[in-house]
Amino acid sequence: MAYREVVEVIRARIEAGELSPGERVPSTRQIVAEFGIAMATASKVLAALRQEGLVRVLPGVGTVVAGGVREPEPELGRGRIVRAAMRIADAEGVDALSMRRVASELGTGAMSLYRHVPGKEELLLLMRDAAFGEFPLPPSPPAGWRAQLELSGRRLWAMYRRHPWLARMTSLTRPYAGPNQMPYSEWNIRALTGLGFDDPTIFRLHLSLFVYVHGSAGSLEAERREEAETGLTLSEWLIAREDTTRAVMESGAFPNSVRVFLHTDTGLDLDEIFETGLRSMLDGIQRRIMEP
């Protein structure tokens, strides 16, 4: 279906009163699911509706039907730009993000954004730090190094869960000392201090924990992207390939894999896999502490 046809359908709903002024219109993901079009095409649909004045972007709410009492929009600033960019990345993936796309979301010109953010690279860094700011660590840490590292690791995982695009936007080799990110480093390094490790070891252990969470989160972003591109959930994808997979597994060449993959009721629960790995990493630190 062409994007113009989808625009006509949503326009008809608005004109018929099925969507009232101030009511949210279907999101890009909802449009993709209903009409079977690509995410980029769905974004084009909403852009066309905005250009026609049928809908408008309401900060903190989303795209709503135009009309009714118009709430004053906050002044354009760095914070508002970053929040809009995060909404786009959450809904459509980071590949859909551009300064022009953010400007369209905010109903302004692209050049007006550059007065607040130098460009996309800086915007991505600000988005990353803002995500950390949504999951602040408590002012008082729990007792014990292990409880402290469990807490910080799980909050990082929750952050990646909310914003899967972070997996590609966060670099180990090019760290960004943002005001919301540094408390995580300080927290972990403090937890590891006084356990008998020298500073280089503390540094490596801290980074290893971060790499574990970050690497595990790559599956979240990849799964979100694959689902958007193929239209298949993980379960649907596995079912579609069940015959091929079973033929390989039952060839007799992989008895251990058959025992674990086919005869164990575990599934691919990413949260359970994350927890298993986190516990294993902390067990390893515990053994190192106990070494003479």
Side-chain angles (χ1 to χ4, degrees):
M1 178 177 285
Y3 89 95
R4 275 293 170 192
E5 295 177 83
V6 180
V7 171
E8 290 293 336
V9 171
I10 297 178
R11 182 193 294 115
R13 292 176 183 175
I14 294 172
E15 292 174 349
E18 295 179 29
L19 294 171
S20 305
E23 185 178 350
R24 288 192 64 176
V25 299
S27 67
T28 51
R29 286 194 173 277
Q30 291 170 327
I31 292 173
V32 167
E34 180 177 354
F35 297 99
I37 59 178
M39 187 69 75
T41 306
S43 298
K44 196 173 180 181
V45 169
L46 292 181
L49 291 169
R50 284 196 297 271
Q51 290 172 0
E52 293 182 21
L54 292 170
V55 303
R56 62 190 177 93
V57 176
L58 195 61
V61 177
T63 302
V64 301
V65 178
V69 178
R70 185 177 181 86
E71 297 183 16
E73 295 193 357
E75 182 180 353
L76 184 65
R78 176 174 286 189
R80 188 175 166 216
I81 293 169
V82 170
R83 288 191 296 273
M86 293 175 73
R87 287 197 301 272
I88 293 169
D90 288 342
E92 304 170 31
V94 76
D95 290 332
L97 189 67
S98 67
M99 297 296 278
R100 185 179 298 277
R101 177 71 180 82
V102 175
S104 175
E105 177 79 8
L106 293 171
T108 188
M111 293 306 297
S112 63
L113 270 60
Y114 289 98
R115 295 198 297 270
H116 306 279
V117 181
K120 183 177 177 180
E121 182 178 359
E122 180 68 18
L123 177 59
L124 291 171
L125 292 176
L126 293 171
M127 290 165 60
R128 192 167 89 193
D129 194 63
F132 275 82
E134 294 176 353
F135 293 86
L137 293 163
S140 299
W145 65 270
R146 182 163 186 140
Q148 293 170 31
L149 295 180
E150 285 177 344
L151 190 151
S152 63
R154 286 170 182 154
R155 291 211 177 178
L156 279 178
W157 178 249
M159 181 180 68
Y160 280 113
R161 266 291 194 192
R162 180 181 293 180
H163 305 296
W165 47 267
L166 275 170
R168 276 199 287 164
M169 296 301 102
T170 306
S171 171
L172 173 67
T173 56
R174 299 189 180 188
Y176 176 60
N180 293 316
Q181 290 178 236
M182 285 304 295
Y184 273 83
S185 297
E186 181 67 18
W187 177 283
N188 284 4
I189 290 172
R190 181 184 60 207
L192 291 164
T193 297
L195 301 178
F197 302 128
D198 57 24
D199 284 349
T201 300
I202 290 173
F203 177 72
R204 287 191 291 268
L205 289 173
H206 160 58
L207 290 184
S208 295
L209 287 165
F210 169 77
V211 168
Y212 169 67
V213 182
H214 175 72
S216 299
S219 297
L220 300 172
E221 197 269 344
E223 176 56 29
R224 175 80 67 90
R225 187 173 66 252
E226 288 292 330
E227 185 172 333
E229 291 176 355
T230 65
L232 298 175
T233 65
L234 175 59
S235 296
E236 292 168 339
W237 186 87
L238 290 172
I239 291 171
R241 287 155 180 79
E242 185 175 5
D243 291 343
T244 301
T245 302
R246 186 171 292 275
V248 173
M249 298 292 281
E250 294 183 349
S251 66
F254 312 105
N256 294 298
S257 297
V258 168
R259 186 189 76 251
V260 173
F261 293 163
L262 299 185
H263 299 159
T264 304
D265 185 20
T266 55
L268 288 174
D269 187 315
L270 294 177
D271 292 311
E272 288 185 2
I273 294 170
F274 166 76
E275 284 292 336
T276 299
L278 180 63
R279 287 194 298 270
S280 297
M281 291 200 70
L282 298 180
D283 287 345
I285 294 176
Q286 179 71 60
R287 284 194 294 270
R288 294 192 65 167
I289 294 171
M290 296 171 63
E291 289 176 355

